[in-house]
Amino acid sequence: MSAAASLPRRGDGVAAIDTPALVVDLDAMERNLATMADFARTHGVRLRPHAKMHKCAAIAALQMAAGAVGVCVQKTSEAEALAAAGVDDLYISNEVIAPAKLARVAALAQRVRLAIAVDSQEGVERLATAMREAGAVIDVFVEVDVGQGRCGVPAAAAGMLAQRVVSHAPPDGGLCFSGLQAYHGAAQHLRGAAEREAASRHAASLASAARASVTAAGIACRLVTGAGTGTFAFDAASGIWGELQAGSYLFMDRDYADNAPGPNTPRFEHALFVKSQVMSRGTSHAVVDAGHKSHAVDSGPPRVWRRELEVGSVSDEHAVLRIRSGGVATDLPQLGETVWLVPGHCDPTVNLHGHYVAVRGGLERGVVEAVWPIEARGCIT
């Protein structure tokens, strides 16, 4: 049987969804969508969610319909896949250095509104060459290291790199300096709210210094973009960030849900699940048919949804469930019974699947409303 043949149809009940399957609780997702859109409007900041999380044009369209200015991606191929599916405002919030990839970036910039990050003079020159050869124009953000210790220039060097970008401005060049990329990824997963707030405050000080470096070079810095699901409320309150890139709020995986909530921070619900089925059962454990090939465990195992069970071990095709401390043997599910898993990390989990099954009306009695392709699945170039 082909993969397409096994997909459920609109109107099917949840029981018709074969396992393992990636399932979206539409009601919960839409509440999350509205909550973040309302937050951005209330705080006067732009919202550009990160589509590397969901990799899906249908979901990007919902986010933009709710007020997002566009979406972020991390890879050239992600941008190409979403553009081919109709998404027309994309930001590659990452560096691209290879000339062959930059030629693809330039070709894409001729079709959609496109932005990209840079953090080196060589990167600027290569990008400028690609844009000039294609006759294309692209928005450019200088990335600043605000604490992640990964990509980005020191704050004091931002002005010099911005000057290099401006030297290739239209009409003679194709680079439009648009501001600063300032994202602190590690801060998103600090468990304590006070820890995340402190990390956000430090990142804000570095982003502010970078902005001052740019303006001291005589260049207007109209936007600082960044922030994530773990820090967006603190980042917005700083007055430094004008655009939020939070992405995981939409699905709220187990790892983000483990963070202690901050004061006056919106709450989000679990909206992404892996539907699994018990395939074997012992006296003290049950085995479901969703293993490494169905959900990522880089941020820890999935959470068993609304049952007194925990994931004890995971292999390629299996996850072993055990009773939580204090539970009893009768809590174990029976053979053939459905078990819903909340992924530990949504981004790589999504990358394992070809489709979402979108369910309306809850996981127990809901019906299939849509099946969405994950167009950017496997886009790593």
Side-chain angles (χ1 to χ4, degrees), residues 267-326:
R267 304 292 192 267
F268 300 101
E269 307 171 45
H270 291 308
L272 184 73
F273 300 86
V274 173
K275 183 188 179 189
S276 70
Q277 184 180 63
V278 178
M279 59 189 292
S280 179
R281 190 178 188 275
T283 57
S284 62
H285 72 278
V287 183
V288 295
D289 57 356
H292 289 304
K293 295 179 183 178
S294 301
H295 52 80
V297 296
D298 59 301
S299 295
R303 174 169 292 133
V304 182
W305 179 240
R306 293 183 173 173
R307 305 187 77 139
E308 293 303 313
L309 301 169
E310 61 187 9
V311 176
S313 63
V314 181
S315 51
D316 284 357
E317 310 291 357
H318 309 83
V320 177
L321 310 183
R322 301 192 183 280
I323 301 166
R324 287 183 188 168
S325 177

Side-chain angles (χ1 to χ4, degrees), residues 137-264:
V137 175
I138 192 168
D139 293 331
V140 180
F141 289 87
V142 169
E143 183 163 10
V144 181
D145 183 359
V146 291
Q148 173 77 3
R150 190 170 59 188
C151 299
V153 297
M160 183 180 300
L161 195 56
Q163 285 180 316
R164 199 65 172 254
V165 174
V166 170
S167 73
H168 296 287
D172 299 322
L175 308 188
C176 299
F177 176 71
S178 297
L180 299 174
Q181 162 76 11
Y183 175 68
H184 190 342
Q188 309 309 315
H189 306 282
L190 297 173
R191 292 296 176 228
E195 293 177 280
R196 297 196 306 280
E197 184 176 18
S200 171
R201 194 177 299 118
H202 179 63
S205 69
L206 294 174
S208 179
R211 186 171 61 183
S213 172
V214 172
T215 56
I219 301 168
C221 185
R222 64 179 180 85
L223 184 66
V224 176
T225 180
T229 296
T231 63
F232 74 90
F234 304 124
D235 299 336
S238 73
I240 300 298
W241 282 269
E243 183 176 88
L244 307 179
Q245 297 176 7
S248 296
Y249 73 90
L250 194 65
F251 288 161
M252 209 56 184
D253 57 30
R254 193 227 74 244
D255 184 69
Y256 267 114
D258 285 347
N259 284 354
N264 305 314

Side-chain angles (χ1 to χ4, degrees), residues 101-156:
K101 286 190 179 72
L102 287 169
R104 289 162 51 195
V105 169
L108 187 59
Q110 295 175 308
R111 297 166 39 211
V112 300
R113 180 168 186 177
L114 189 65
I116 196 167
V118 296
D119 73 348
S120 67
Q121 293 189 10
E122 179 68 19
V124 171
E125 297 306 317
R126 292 187 182 197
L127 178 63
T129 297
M131 293 301 123
R132 183 173 60 252
E133 291 177 351
V137 175
I138 192 168
D139 293 331
V140 180
F141 289 87
V142 169
E143 183 163 10
V144 181
D145 183 359
V146 291
Q148 173 77 3
R150 190 170 59 188
C151 299
V153 297

